[in-house]
Amino acid sequence: MLTEKHIVIIGGDARQLEIIRKLSTLDAKLSLVGFEQLDDGFVGATKEQIANIDFSTVDAIILPVSGTNQQGEVDTVFSNETITITEEQLKATPTHCIVYTGISNTYLDECLHQSKRKLVKLLERDDIAIYNSIPTVEGTVMMAIQHTDITIHGSTVAVLGFGRVGMSVARTFAALGAKVKVGARESEHIARITEMGFTPFDIKDIVHQVSDVDLCINTIPAKIVTANVLATMPTNALIIDLASKPGGTDFRYAEKRGIKALLAPGLPGIVAPKTAGQILANVLAQLLLQD
């Protein structure tokens, strides 16, 4: 149980509601910042303004999956207020306080470095990434159906990257009858792609591999679908970029060529916020109980 643990949950979307429910059942003392428009009542949870939080009593801070922007501002769908995390707030917490976020940036990293507090980036964990690949793939299939006039069955699909998401994407589209080719860098990934029955190619050869695709799905968080790549891609192809912002596609040139390119990070929170929230809640509960 998390009895007597004071946890501050700051901002976020519907996924945070599952986290609140889970931690509430574990008897944590919850302070909710950026939830004044939320009608639900949770046992042991109190809505607060960030200025009223006594950070000297805080054992953990939970930020949204998106973390903060470079000004320290936190997104929230349940408030119209601007909520900012500062280095001074973090320095006021006990030394054992841990900050949990989905992803981080230079602003948040520097705040945690200067305050000497531990930062846990949840989306870098294998368990969360693998669980999240399920709603990510379902959302990708949905987008492919919505934005094309052909069936997935029989289409040619290029998946860029063979990490935790790329593997699930490739397997699902192949199961739906697509001809799937997968681009990767590592030799062991090429071997696994071959073993799983997909057509492998070295990502360096991407220019020659996308000339016949109906759908290109990028999972690599780097500029990989460049103007040179787009120049060889059919104009009726669809690009779904699953990499974190700003994605790995030259969206300006894609628009110039008339290729529809969609940036779709954070699909779990869009297509299945309840499931995505439960994934985060279960892992967070384990981590908080351990700490």
Side-chain angles (χ1 to χ4, degrees), residues 264-286:
L267 273 181
I270 297 171
V271 301
K274 185 177 181 70
T275 299
Q278 289 171 343
I279 291 167
L280 292 169
N282 290 335
V283 173
L284 268 169
Q286 292 174 6

Side-chain angles (χ1 to χ4, degrees), residues 98-135:
I98 300 175
V99 177
Y100 298 89
T101 182
I103 58 176
S104 189
N105 56 23
T106 52
Y107 173 87
L108 192 56
D109 286 342
E110 182 62 18
C111 283
L112 271 295
H113 175 72
Q114 293 297 329
S115 61
K116 296 182 172 61
R117 298 297 181 267
K118 181 179 177 181
L119 177 66
V120 175
K121 303 173 189 177
L122 295 171
L123 293 193
E124 291 186 359
R125 291 178 56 91
D126 282 339
D127 49 4
I128 287 181
I130 292 169
Y131 285 131
N132 266 340
S133 71
I134 299 168

Side-chain angles (χ1 to χ4, degrees), residues 145-167:
I145 293 170
Q146 288 177 336
H147 294 280
T148 60
D149 57 3
I150 60 174
T151 60
I152 292 173
H153 188 282
S155 64
T156 299
V157 177
V159 177
L160 309 180
F162 202 61
R164 296 158 299 197
V165 173
M167 183 180 296

Side-chain angles (χ1 to χ4, degrees), residues 217-287:
I217 303 170
N218 177 52
T219 69
I220 300 172
K223 192 57 68 70
I224 194 76
V225 187
T226 61
N228 287 339
V229 174
L230 291 163
T232 65
M233 193 177 292
T235 56
N236 63 342
L238 171 67
I239 299 170
I240 301 177
D241 199 322
L242 302 177
S244 55
K245 291 181 180 179
T249 302
D250 187 335
F251 290 96
R252 182 201 64 82
Y253 190 72
E255 183 178 6
K256 183 177 180 179
R257 277 215 69 213
I259 298 174
K260 183 177 288 187
L262 307 173
L263 179 60
L267 273 181
I270 297 171
V271 301
K274 185 177 181 70
T275 299
Q278 289 171 343
I279 291 167
L280 292 169
N282 290 335
V283 173
L284 268 169
Q286 292 174 6
L287 292 174

Side-chain angles (χ1 to χ4, degrees), residues 179-194:
K179 293 171 283 189
V180 177
K181 59 176 77 174
V182 183
R185 291 189 179 94
E186 305 296 332
S187 60
E188 59 266 32
H189 287 172
I190 296 294
R192 180 60 68 187
I193 292 163
T194 303

